[in-house]
Amino acid sequence: MRVWNFVYLPDESGEYRVALDMRKNPQFFLCDRRFPDTLDCDDFAVFEEVVTLTEPLEIMTEELARDYPLTENQQILCEYCMLDINGNEIDAPDIAERVIEGFTFCGFEIADEWEISALTNCGFAYDRAFTKDDLNRWGLIDGYQKARAVLEKMYEKYSDAPDAKDWMLFAVWRRI
């Protein structure tokens, strides 16, 4: 059984908002960019850059995210949490085709409720569910169906892991 500590509620536009603080989905975060040669793990050498949801510098509104002047080593991530009001995944196979002006779709992330990546921040500890070859140049998963399959394998193979109940699927765009 999947359990999350928050619930998404649909608003009048059909978007989902977090019930605890009513933040709109998608959410925007100012973050530093993460290049493999600046990270303390040889596992990251296979990626062009690691795009992950951890360590945001600031949570932003969509309007601010579009116009914010970025420095050379900054990015704004746009994440869309794929959960509905019941904590079930939103079935949206075309989510990667969604146009968010000024942003480029990067892939799908699997992270816990604290937005710690199960794909890149855990030292590839879930190798019975995916390998580095399943990840794209940013350390994310290309394709909605593949991401859902990896998430299901993680639940199946690692249901006894302490953080298993918290894994969620995110669609991730960014502006650099």
Side-chain angles (χ1 to χ4, degrees):
M1 182 174 152
R2 298 177 190 164
V3 178
W4 290 278
N5 294 331
F6 55 88
V7 177
Y8 279 84
L9 299 170
D11 67 11
E12 63 282 350
S13 70
E15 293 290 344
Y16 289 86
R17 295 182 181 269
V18 180
L20 293 179
D21 63 10
M22 298 308 286
R23 289 180 296 178
K24 190 172 183 178
N25 193 11
Q27 293 186 46
F28 297 84
F29 300 93
L30 174 66
C31 304
D32 286 329
R33 293 176 70 183
R34 302 180 73 195
F35 296 97
D37 60 348
T38 64
L39 301 171
D40 296 332
C41 181
D42 292 337
D43 288 334
F44 294 122
V46 298
F47 305 118
E48 177 180 304
E49 186 173 348
V50 177
V51 175
T52 185
L53 307 175
T54 57
E55 302 174 15
L57 301 172
E58 183 178 340
I59 299 172
M60 310 179 110
T61 64
E62 185 170 356
E63 294 76 28
L64 182 59
R66 288 189 199 293
D67 299 325
Y68 189 86
L70 295 169
T71 65
E72 184 176 317
N73 194 41
Q74 288 181 331
Q75 63 186 343
I76 296 176
L77 296 182
C78 170
E79 70 173 42
Y80 194 100
C81 185
M82 307 293 289
L83 295 179
D84 69 12
I85 190 171
N86 299 312
N88 297 312
E89 287 179 60
I90 298 168
D91 189 18
D94 60 348
I95 191 80
E97 297 164 19
R98 182 176 181 159
V99 175
I100 299 176
E101 185 180 332
F103 287 77
T104 301
F105 183 74
C106 295
F108 293 91
E109 172 74 281
I110 297 172
D112 64 21
E113 67 178 301
W114 300 279
E115 298 178 344
I116 297 173
S117 174
L119 301 177
T120 56
N121 289 39
C122 297
F124 303 103
Y126 304 110
D127 61 350
R128 289 183 285 158
F130 71 92
T131 68
K132 286 185 242 183
D133 292 338
D134 292 315
L135 307 181
N136 66 20
R137 63 186 176 154
W138 296 300
L140 299 171
I141 300 171
D142 285 328
Y144 174 75
Q145 298 302 334
K146 184 175 183 180
R148 284 189 59 133
V150 167
L151 183 60
E152 289 303 318
K153 276 188 193 175
M154 288 176 65
Y155 282 122
E156 177 187 323
K157 305 280 186 189
Y158 298 98
S159 61
D160 58 341
D163 57 347
K165 67 179 174 47
D166 298 322
W167 290 328
M168 296 178 281
L169 185 63
F170 294 87
V172 180
W173 291 259
R174 76 168 175 172
R175 178 172 82 85
I176 56 174

